[in-house]
Amino acid sequence: MLNLEEDCFINCPYCLESIKVRIDLTGGQNQSLTYDCEVCCRPITLQIEIYADGNINIVTEKES
Ligand SMILES: [Zn+2]
């Protein structure tokens, strides 16, 4: 059974806290979304790459 979404941990680029984000695996191999940090509430831009083998690479950026 395939997961439709997966929880991943990222580090906030502002406060460096580890926060959990839910990735929608049905949204395509390359996704970008903005997620508000649960700790400092600042917007984080996520560049998400989902590989065919199920691995997920997430790059976090401060919103410009
Ligand atoms: Zn933060």
Side-chain angles (χ1 to χ4, degrees):
M1 185 175 163
L2 282 171
N3 289 330
L4 298 180
E5 48 190 24
E6 183 153 325
D7 291 334
C8 295
F9 284 91
I10 61 164
N11 288 101
C12 173
Y14 304 100
C15 68
L16 306 179
E17 288 286 341
S18 180
I19 59 173
K20 187 169 76 175
V21 295
R22 180 153 289 181
I23 307 300
D24 178 5
L25 300 180
T26 66
Q29 277 194 299
N30 289 284
Q31 301 179 35
S32 64
L33 60 90
T34 303
Y35 195 92
D36 289 335
C37 176
E38 294 166 5
V39 180
C40 68
C41 298
R42 283 182 279 192
I44 310 164
T45 301
L46 304 178
Q47 301 290 342
I48 302 156
E49 193 170 359
I50 301 170
Y51 299 103
D53 61 5
N55 283 322
I56 300 173
N57 184 51
I58 303 175
V59 176
T60 59
E61 296 168 355
K62 295 177 184 178
E63 189 167 76
S64 53

